[in-house]
Structure formats: structure tokens, C-alpha cells
Amino acid sequence: MDKASSNLTAGVVVVVAIGILIAFFYYTLWPIIKNNFNHTTQCNKAICEPCPASNCEFVKCYLKENPNDTFDCIYKG
């Protein structure tokens, strides 16, 4: 009976640890990944202004559907 009890305890510990890892991924890492993916997709579809200087890092861009809503994208040259 002791062996069965220790196996059950180890199983509960493993299930709780996996639950904590899933919660950490879902509430911490996934929003960062999703935000980066959405921003990259927006920048790929955007119309960007030309670079005003020779050493631009970011340029102002907008989507065709909403030209008043501007955002920064990495200048790709």
C-alpha cells in the first residue's frame, strides 16, 4: 500500500508541475509570441514612408484600410 501511495503522490506532483508549465506558457509566453506575430504580419502588409535619413531603424507605416492609424516598423531598405 505504501508503494501505491507514493506512486499516487508522484503522479499528482507531475500533473501539478505540468499544469504550472502550461499556465506559464499560456499566460506569459503566448501573449508575447502572438503580439510579435501580429506586429510582423501588420508590417509586412503595411505601406511605409521612405527613410528620411541614411541610418533609419524604424519608419512610420499604415495599412491601406486605415491610413490615419500609423505604427512603427523596422526599416527594411
Side-chain angles (χ1 to χ4, degrees):
M1 191 68 180
D2 260 353
K3 184 151 178 117
S5 178
S6 66
N7 284 343
L8 179 63
T9 304
V12 168
V13 168
V14 168
V15 168
V16 168
I18 291 172
I20 290 171
L21 289 174
I22 289 171
F24 175 75
F25 176 79
Y26 185 74
Y27 290 109
T28 305
L29 296 178
W30 181 247
I32 295 169
I33 293 168
K34 185 178 178 184
N35 188 24
N36 186 23
F37 177 75
N38 289 339
H39 184 75
T40 303
T41 304
Q42 270 190 332
C43 285
N44 288 340
K45 294 189 300 184
I47 300 167
C48 298
E49 298 175 353
C51 179
S54 62
N55 57 352
C56 289
E57 287 187 37
F58 294 95
V59 291
K60 293 284 183 191
C61 300
Y62 62 91
L63 294 175
K64 188 188 297 185
E65 298 86 31
N66 193 1
N68 295 328
D69 185 23
T70 61
F71 50 90
D72 290 333
C73 289
I74 296 174
Y75 181 66
K76 295 181 183 176

